[in-house]
Amino acid sequence: MSLLQKEISAQGFSVMENHFDAQLVQNAFQEIRSRLDVFTNDREIRYPHLLGTHPIFESLLTSSLMEQIHQIMGEVTNLSDIEIVSLQPGAAGLNPHIDHPYVLMDQVYPGPILSLQTIWVLQDLTLENGATTAVPK
């Protein structure tokens, strides 16, 4: 079992710091800012369905990142979407919640991992810019 798998098994999450090259992050920010296909409301800006729309988003899927994902999910893994969500200043946070497919289940699922949600933080999270909360296992 890898360190990543042990961390997720023990606490429900893992942190991989400094995974992305600074120039790659800067290029991704530039492409994100140029997008017109944006969903916006008072609380957030969403850039949905980015996978396949520009090579920069595919370059975020480095081989080492995919190796880590395969360690958790197995070799047959379907990456279904890349979406960017940017909370607006003063936006209220979300309550703790679970995502698909677990939200559809009546009870805790004791079997193998069915879905993996990741947060790719391209800038430090602070209280001023919308820090996130992780609820340990």
Side-chain angles (χ1 to χ4, degrees):
M1 184 179 284
S2 72
L3 176 59
L4 177 68
Q5 288 170 305
K6 289 177 184 175
E7 288 179 346
I8 291 174
S9 179
Q11 61 193 20
F13 68 94
S14 180
V15 176
M16 296 170 53
E17 294 186 75
N18 301 314
H19 181 78
F20 298 111
D21 173 75
Q23 186 60 53
L24 176 62
V25 170
Q26 184 62 33
N27 293 344
F29 267 128
Q30 288 175 352
E31 178 58 28
I32 291 163
R33 288 185 188 112
S34 73
R35 297 254 148 197
L36 298 176
D37 54 339
V38 177
F39 168 75
T40 305
N41 62 35
D42 293 343
R43 197 174 89 71
E44 65 192 11
I45 297 172
R46 287 185 178 261
Y47 300 84
H49 314 300
L50 294 173
L51 191 60
T53 65
H54 191 279
I56 192 72
F57 302 116
E58 292 172 29
S59 66
L60 292 170
L61 301 174
T62 63
S63 60
S64 62
L65 180 61
M66 292 309 293
E67 287 172 17
Q68 298 286 336
I69 291 170
H70 287 152
Q71 286 180 16
I72 299 165
M73 301 295 296
E75 287 298 319
V76 180
T77 301
N78 180 23
L79 178 64
S80 60
D81 194 14
I82 294 178
E83 177 179 34
I84 295 171
V85 178
S86 177
L87 293 181
Q88 297 303 295
L94 291 175
N95 292 323
H97 65 282
I98 57 174
D99 289 316
H100 186 80
Y102 301 102
V103 72
L104 303 174
M105 298 177 180
D106 292 333
Q107 58 188 1
V108 175
Y109 180 75
I113 296 172
L114 299 175
S115 176
L116 178 67
Q117 304 290 325
T118 62
I119 300 173
W120 298 359
V121 181
L122 300 182
Q123 64 187 119
D124 290 342
L125 293 175
T126 66
L127 291 175
E128 290 76 30
N129 73 4
T132 192
T133 301
V135 178
K137 187 175 182 181

